[in-house]
């Protein structure tokens, strides 16, 4: 009993550290990025403005562009997205969307995204717990402390994009799918998954990938479920009813919007046909498939989507090294564990292992479609599979025994420092040759320009550092508790 309470206490302490680390770095992103945001922020802000005024944006034209003090022409790049994120943002910021006070609206929406990002930390921890057959708390904390510190995720958590809400809903849907496979497809769980599915499809079209995995998981769980024992007619009826709910509810909630996209562009995922964009060269599908960046993006862009200097190398090089080491550690662990693998592996547990990977593969397919033509290869489009990154980094760190806590803290610190490096690069208007410390200082300067005392930046930096230390300490304690529990069971 005492050991269980001690384990629970250190788990909560570790998760508090993971939340503190993310919250500090995400607030730095929200408060230390210029109010104009990154390239597409203005289109998302315009979408919020139009929803606040009872409209959906058309594919062409921006009604609210504070950068020019009025409306502007050209493509409305956010118009292909469903309206849920923008409706939620309009509720909290719509009244501030005037050319005299738009900065306040930007701040409110950024803080909303920080909340979504913080909720994602907890959702990632939940999925990690469900994915761990041995229920290792150290693993749960390590996953939660690493995955959400992905540089682009931190950046978008402090900006105006719908990707963070998408990531939260995708992670929750993956968790519901795994729980369904573990505990059986109960009606409350089906209703919850259907509601998340509806919200996801009203957030971004790529949620269809996660929904497909959830439907597959429900089918497996339904056919393998042994409780209660029903006759085949009743069991078949229950399966059809549950599958129907999971399919129909998201469809009914979002079909109207995707029908609009089809009417506008001929494609349910776009509001306008593919056309030349920003001087980018046109790429065929084979061009994209022949680009090594397409395959490396998930590991190459961990520490930033654009290649910039970091720790004497490039952030992409450090990303690949960090990811490579993690994958090697997992491979060594898997080889060593093979003789001890359980013989009671079920179809459900195979699907549980493959579900997050299936989401990642689906996101790669969506990335291929997006990059074909005039699109880009960007880790942002793989956000729904954020949990996979956590399972890799968190899993690798916790294979190191008594230094697992130190390893996790080090990974978190490197990822946080990379995020600061990237935010500083943006704050200095992206010049080459600016060092890491100067970039970090420029973030503080940007926060001062936003009317905040410089001390607030320093406090957030201290909170981030202390939170990483707390994560490391908690994992170290949890590893010792788990080692003692394992020894006593033998």
């Amino acid at each position: 009993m005492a050991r269980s309470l001690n384990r629970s206490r250190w788990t909560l302490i570790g998760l508090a550290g993971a939340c503190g680390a993310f919250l500090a770095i995400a607030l730095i992103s929200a408060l230390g990025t210029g109010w104009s945001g990154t390239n597409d922020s203005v289109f998302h802000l315009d979408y919020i403005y139009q929803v606040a005024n009872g409209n959906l944006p058309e594919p062409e034209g921006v009604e609210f562009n504070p950068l020019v003090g009025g409306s502007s022409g050209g493509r409305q790049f956010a118009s292909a997205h469903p309206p849920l994120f923008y409706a939620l943002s309009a509720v909290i910021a719509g009244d501030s969307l005037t050319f005299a006070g738009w900065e306040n609206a930007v701040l409110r929406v950024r803080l909303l995204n920080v909340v979504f990002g913080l909720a994602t930390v907890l959702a990632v921890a939940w999925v990690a717990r469900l994915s761990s057959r041995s229920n290792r708390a150290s693993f749960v904390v390590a996953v939660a402390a690493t995955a959400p510190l992905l540089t682009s995720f931190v950046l978008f958590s402090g900006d105006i994009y719908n990707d963070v809400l998408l990531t939260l809903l995708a992670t929750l849907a993956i968790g519901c799918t795994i729980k369904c496979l573990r505990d059986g497809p109960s009606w409350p769980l089906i209703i919850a998954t259907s509601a998340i599915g509806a919200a996801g499809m009203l957030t971004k079209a790529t949620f269809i990938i996660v929904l497909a995995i959830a439907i597959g998981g429900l089918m497996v769980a339904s056919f393998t479920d042994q409780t209660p024992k029903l006759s085949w007619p009743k069991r078949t009826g229950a399966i059809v009813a549950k599958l129907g709910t999971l399919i129909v509810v998201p469809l009914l909630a979002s079909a109207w919007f995707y029908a609009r996209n089809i009417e506008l562009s001929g494609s349910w995922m776009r509001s306008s046909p593919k056309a030349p964009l920003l001087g980018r060269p046109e790429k065929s599908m084979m061009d994209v498939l022949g680009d090594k960046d397409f395959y490396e993006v998930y590991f190459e862009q961990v520490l930033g989507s654009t290649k910039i200097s970091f720790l004497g190398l490039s952030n992409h090089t450090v990303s690949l090294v960090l990811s490579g080491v993690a994958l090697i550690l997992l491979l060594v662990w898997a080889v060593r564990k093979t003789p001890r693998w359980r013989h009671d592996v079920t179809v459900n547990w195979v699907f549980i292992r493959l579900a997050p990977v299936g989401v990642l593969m689906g996101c790669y397919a969506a990335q291929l479609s997006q990059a074909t033509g005039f699109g880009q290869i960007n880790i942002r489009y793989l956000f729904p599979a954020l949990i996979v990154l956590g399972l890799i980094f968190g899993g690798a760190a916790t294979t190191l025994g008594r230094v697992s806590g130190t390893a996790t803290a080090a990974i978190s610190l490197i990822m946080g420092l990379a995020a600061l490096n990237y935010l500083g690069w943006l704050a200095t208007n992206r010049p080459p040759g600016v060092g890491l410390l100067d970039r970090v200082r420029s973030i503080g300067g940007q926060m001062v320009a936003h009317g905040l005392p410089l001390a607030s930046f320093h406090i957030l930096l201290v909170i981030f550092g202390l939170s990483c230390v707390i994560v490391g300490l908690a994992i170290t304690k949890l590893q010792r508790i788990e080692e003692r529990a394992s020894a006593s069971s033998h």
Side-chain angles (χ1 to χ4, degrees):
M1 183 67 177
R3 182 181 293 163
S4 177
L5 289 173
N6 201 26
R7 180 174 178 272
S8 298
R9 182 172 70 248
W10 280 108
T11 301
L12 290 174
I13 291 172
L15 290 177
C19 289
F22 174 81
L23 183 60
I25 211 77
L27 284 174
I28 290 174
S29 175
L31 302 173
T33 301
W35 294 130
S36 59
T38 50
N39 293 339
D40 290 346
S41 300
V42 66
F43 304 110
H44 295 275
L45 187 65
D46 173 62
Y47 199 142
I48 297 168
Y49 171 82
Q50 295 206 44
V51 168
N53 286 278
N55 303 312
L56 288 174
E58 295 297 324
E60 298 291 330
V62 176
E63 289 189 12
F64 185 83
N65 188 342
L67 304 184
V68 300
S71 60
S72 59
R75 288 266 298 276
Q76 214 303 1
F77 292 105
S79 61
H81 300 313
L84 179 60
F85 168 74
Y86 309 99
L88 295 174
S89 299
V91 170
I92 67 166
D95 62 334
S96 296
L97 277 171
T98 64
F99 289 111
W102 62 277
E103 295 93 343
N104 183 41
V106 169
L107 177 59
R108 292 186 193 181
V109 179
R110 287 183 180 183
L111 293 179
L112 176 64
N113 256 346
V114 169
V115 172
F116 289 148
L118 188 61
T120 303
V121 177
L122 298 175
V124 163
W126 180 53
V127 175
R129 180 179 178 277
L130 292 172
S131 301
S132 174
R133 197 162 190 173
S134 56
N135 197 21
R136 290 188 302 134
S138 57
F139 170 72
V140 171
V141 174
V143 172
T146 52
L149 291 179
L150 176 78
T151 293
S152 291
F153 188 73
V154 170
L155 179 65
F156 285 111
S157 294
D159 207 340
I160 302 179
Y161 287 80
N162 58 353
D163 299 87
V164 181
L165 177 58
L166 172 69
T167 308
L168 170 61
L169 293 170
T171 306
L172 289 172
I174 293 170
C176 287
T177 303
I178 293 174
K179 188 168 179 59
C180 185
L181 288 158
R182 284 184 59 143
D183 302 338
S186 65
W187 268 110
L189 190 55
I190 297 303
I191 292 170
T193 309
S194 300
I196 293 168
M201 291 304 298
L202 281 170
T203 299
K204 203 165 184 178
T206 47
F207 189 86
I208 190 71
I209 299 160
V210 187
L211 185 60
I213 297 295
I215 292 169
L218 173 58
M219 291 177 66
V220 171
S222 296
F223 284 109
T224 59
D225 184 31
Q226 299 300 316
T227 54
K229 295 186 181 297
L230 299 174
S231 63
W232 269 107
K234 289 184 178 181
R235 188 175 183 183
T236 302
I239 292 173
V240 170
K242 291 173 181 177
L243 279 172
T245 301
L246 187 53
I247 294 170
V248 171
V249 170
L251 182 65
L252 288 178
S254 61
W256 64 273
F257 181 83
Y258 295 109
R260 176 180 183 266
N261 270 357
I262 292 172
E263 183 179 350
L264 290 170
S265 70
S267 168
W268 71 282
M269 295 183 70
R270 304 179 60 84
S271 59
S272 57
K274 288 189 177 183
L277 178 65
L278 303 175
R280 296 173 186 165
E282 184 175 7
K283 292 183 179 181
S284 67
M285 182 177 293
M286 295 309 298
D287 290 332
V288 178
L289 289 172
D291 189 342
K292 71 178 183 65
D293 288 341
F294 174 72
Y295 304 97
E296 295 177 354
V297 59
Y298 194 67
F299 299 111
E300 184 181 59
Q301 295 186 14
V302 169
L303 305 182
S305 57
T306 302
K307 188 176 183 179
I308 61 174
S309 60
F310 178 58
L311 298 179
L313 301 168
S314 75
N315 57 340
H316 285 186
T317 300
V318 178
S319 295
L320 288 172
V321 170
L322 192 64
S323 301
V325 170
L327 289 170
I328 290 170
L329 286 172
L330 283 178
L331 179 62
V332 171
W333 172 82
V335 170
R336 292 176 61 186
K337 187 182 177 183
T338 299
R340 301 194 301 275
W341 275 353
R342 300 178 185 218
H343 298 290
D344 58 340
V345 175
T346 63
V347 174
N348 292 42
W349 273 102
V350 171
F351 201 99
I352 286 171
R353 294 292 187 268
L354 293 180
V357 178
V359 173
L360 178 59
M361 293 300 99
C363 289
Y364 258 102
Q367 169 72 98
L368 176 62
S369 174
Q370 199 280 335
T372 299
F374 302 95
Q376 287 182 310
I377 296 172
N378 194 303
I379 197 170
R380 164 188 174 192
Y381 303 112
L382 306 180
F383 276 7
L386 182 71
I387 182 63
V388 177
L389 195 71
L391 296 175
I392 291 171
F393 285 154
T398 51
T399 64
L400 298 174
R402 294 188 178 183
V403 298
S404 295
T406 303
T408 305
I411 294 171
S412 299
L413 284 167
I414 290 171
M415 295 182 77
L417 192 59
L420 291 171
N421 180 61
Y422 204 88
L423 290 167
W425 176 69
L426 293 175
T428 54
N429 295 316
R430 313 181 185 192
V434 177
L436 174 60
L437 288 178
D438 288 334
R439 286 174 179 167
V440 173
R441 290 192 192 101
S442 69
I443 304 172
Q446 187 70 258
M447 290 177 65
V448 171
H450 288 165
L452 296 165
L454 184 59
S456 62
F457 176 55
H458 296 154
I459 290 170
L460 289 172
L461 286 177
V462 171
I463 290 173
F464 171 72
L466 287 176
S467 295
C468 290
V469 172
I470 290 170
V471 164
L473 178 62
I475 290 176
T476 299
K477 294 287 188 181
L478 287 168
Q479 285 272 9
R480 291 174 182 171
I481 294 169
E482 289 161 359
E483 285 175 4
R484 288 196 294 268
S486 178
S488 63
S489 66
H490 290 87

